[in-house]
């Protein structure tokens, strides 16, 4: 459900300050005795965009409701700009869907939020925000909008309130791929220019990596990884992280010193590991289709899917591994086609064989 809660406007003549700080310490939430959030510690610096990703039921939506104040934790502390409980300022929310007033008009609602926030020219600001989110149906009733246009409207209305913090829960989910990317990029620029502290939950891991200063991976109500997007993305040896940020493949290798041997190749280790047999965890973009005389492993294609800019194929190798490879779309592979695979010479993530 989309819920947009306007924030109090700044005093007349005062420009909004930088975004609010948000801190969660030992936050726990249960429903019917089932843990939804478990011992969550998270600190969000003012003006930072934090993206949250995880499998369905990971707890990200509940965490956002706790931060916004629409749901209370059972234990722990949530601080917004150093204040907790009823004293904490409420944070606007934009979620996937919204119930709306039957007779509310698109433009009027945004103008009202802009005027309440103290804009000198609320009509001009409304036009700018409608353009920013790509919404051209300004005179329609909100309840007659499509799902995607309701999301655009909710974003524009939230921005019109000049929030210092914002919670987005799959707020672009209903937009098709191209429009979603364009709206995402414009929205991120707006949030950064204003310095709005933002918690952004999404099921699209590419979107999370594109928007985030700080990426948080959640699983079963816990934070299992957090850091800069490129750092978190590289932690593919961590099973919980790999399942969210996948796909990945595991192939057999042997660690010796600072390298791992796999398919007749020697790769540097991303992190130190004990000598001996291991699994080498690889992403599709680091698996290469090579000629028959190159170092590597033979295999047969099980399936191949066209994804637009790339093809993604699954190969059963002669050592019994199933490996996902991404390759140029003009390289058409059919079921049972013989291929040879190698790995790009990049630092390898390994994990022990249990």
């Amino acid at each position: 459900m989309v819920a947009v809660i306007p924030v109090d406007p700044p005093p007349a003549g005062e420009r909004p300050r930088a975004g609010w700080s948000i801190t969660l310490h030992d936050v726990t939430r249960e429903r019917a005795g089932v843990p939804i959030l478990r011992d969550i510690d998270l600190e969000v610096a003012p003006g930072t965009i934090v993206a949250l990703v995880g499998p369905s039921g990971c707890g990200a939506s509940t965490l956002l409701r706790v931060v916004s104040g629409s749901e209370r934790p059972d234990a722990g502390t949530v601080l917004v700009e150093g204040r907790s409980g009823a004293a904490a300022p409420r944070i606007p929310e934009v979620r996937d869907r919204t119930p709306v007033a039957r007779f509310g008009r698109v433009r009027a609602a945004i103008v009202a939020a802009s005027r309440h926030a103290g804009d000198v020219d609320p009509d001009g600001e409304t036009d700018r925000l409608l353009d920013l989110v790509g919404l051209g149906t300004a005179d329609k009733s909100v309840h007659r909008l499509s799902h995607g246009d309701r999301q655009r409207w909710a974003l524009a209305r939230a921005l019109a309130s000049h929030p210092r913090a914002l919670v987005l829960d799959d707020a672009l989910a209903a937009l098709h791929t191209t429009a979603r990317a364009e709206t995402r990029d414009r929205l991120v620029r707006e949030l950064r220019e204003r310095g709005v502290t933002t918690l952004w939950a999404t099921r699209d891991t590419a979107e999370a990596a594109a928007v985030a200063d700080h990426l948080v991976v959640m699983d079963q109500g816990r934070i299992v990884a957090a850091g800069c997007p490129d750092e978190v993305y590289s932690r593919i040896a961590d099973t919980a992280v790999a399942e969210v940020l996948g796909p990945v493949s595991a192939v057999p290798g042997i660690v010796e010193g600072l390298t791992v041997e796999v398919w007749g190749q020697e790769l540097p280790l991303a992190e130190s590991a004990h000598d001996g047999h291991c699994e080498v965890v690889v992403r599709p973009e680091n698996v290469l289709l090579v000629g028959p005389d190159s170092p590597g492993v033979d295999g047969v294609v099980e399936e191949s899917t066209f994804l637009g800019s790339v093809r993604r194929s699954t190969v059963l190798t002669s050592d019994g591994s199933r490996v996902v490879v991404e390759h140029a779309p003009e390289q058409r592979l059919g079921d049972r086609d013989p291929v040879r695979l190698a790995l790009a010479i990049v630092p390898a993530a390994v994990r022990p064989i249990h």
Side-chain angles (χ1 to χ4, degrees), residues 218-233:
M218 296 187 64
D219 187 38
Q220 297 183 4
R222 299 185 187 276
I223 293 176
V224 296
C228 297
D230 54 345
E231 294 173 354
V232 175
Y233 193 77

Side-chain angles (χ1 to χ4, degrees), residues 31-56:
R31 292 198 189 99
V34 178
I36 307 299
L37 297 177
R38 310 166 187 249
D39 305 319
I40 297 292
D41 288 311
L42 181 64
E43 188 163 342
V44 184
T48 301
I49 299 177
V50 173
L52 298 97
V53 292
S56 180

Side-chain angles (χ1 to χ4, degrees), residues 53-340:
V53 292
S56 180
C58 69
S61 292
T62 300
L63 187 151
L64 295 189
R65 286 194 292 271
V66 166
V67 167
S68 70
S70 60
E71 192 165 330
R72 291 179 177 233
D74 295 308
T77 305
V78 179
L79 297 175
V80 179
E81 198 65 0
R83 291 173 282 172
S84 63
R90 293 293 296 274
I91 297 177
E93 299 174 88
V94 180
R95 299 184 185 172
D96 183 12
R97 292 181 179 271
T98 182
V100 296
R102 182 167 180 78
F103 301 107
R105 296 280 175 179
V106 169
R107 183 183 182 81
I110 300 170
V111 168
S114 178
R115 184 177 292 115
H116 182 73
D119 277 320
V120 175
D121 181 11
D123 288 297
E125 177 66 358
T126 295
D127 289 338
R128 188 185 73 83
L129 291 174
L130 287 171
D131 185 60
L132 185 146
V133 300
L135 185 57
T137 51
D139 295 323
K140 272 192 176 182
S141 294
V142 177
H143 85 281
R144 293 188 178 277
L145 295 177
S146 66
H147 184 188
D149 280 349
R150 282 195 190 187
Q151 290 189 327
R152 297 178 195 267
W153 169 82
L155 285 167
R157 185 171 176 237
L159 291 171
S161 70
H162 288 273
R164 290 173 56 194
L166 187 61
V167 161
L168 304 177
D169 191 357
D170 239 357
L172 301 176
L175 305 185
H176 67 77
T177 303
T178 302
R180 180 169 180 163
E182 291 172 350
T183 305
R184 174 202 72 203
D185 292 345
R186 290 194 298 266
L187 177 59
V188 168
R189 284 195 296 271
E190 180 80 6
L191 294 171
R192 294 200 191 286
E193 286 173 4
R194 295 189 184 195
V196 181
T197 307
T198 307
L199 272 73
W200 186 321
T202 175
R203 294 180 179 86
D204 185 334
T205 55
E207 178 174 280
V211 306
D213 300 309
H214 194 78
L215 181 62
V216 172
V217 179
M218 296 187 64
D219 187 38
Q220 297 183 4
R222 299 185 187 276
I223 293 176
V224 296
C228 297
D230 54 345
E231 294 173 354
V232 175
Y233 193 77
S234 69
R235 291 180 53 178
I236 55 175
D238 186 326
T239 303
V241 175
E243 287 178 355
V244 173
L245 301 180
V248 298
S249 307
V251 301
I254 301 176
V255 173
E256 184 173 351
L258 300 177
T259 63
V260 57
E261 182 182 344
V262 54
W263 296 346
Q265 300 175 266
E266 284 194 355
L267 304 180
L269 289 172
E271 296 181 354
S272 62
H274 294 294
D275 286 359
H277 291 274
C278 68
E279 288 183 328
V280 182
V281 188
V282 295
R283 292 197 179 278
E285 61 268 28
N286 290 329
V287 183
L288 309 175
L289 295 170
V290 296
D293 298 326
S294 299
V297 65
D298 292 321
V300 293
V301 176
E302 292 192 322
E303 62 179 357
S304 187
T305 305
F306 177 64
L307 299 177
S309 59
V310 298
R311 287 184 184 272
R312 181 175 290 170
S313 301
T314 302
V315 175
L316 179 62
T317 64
S318 59
D319 61 14
S321 304
R322 277 186 172 81
V323 182
V324 179
V325 53
E326 289 181 352
H327 52 93
E330 57 269 20
Q331 287 183 288
R332 295 173 178 267
L333 299 178
D335 292 355
R336 307 306 301 171
D337 278 357
V339 294
R340 188 165 178 83

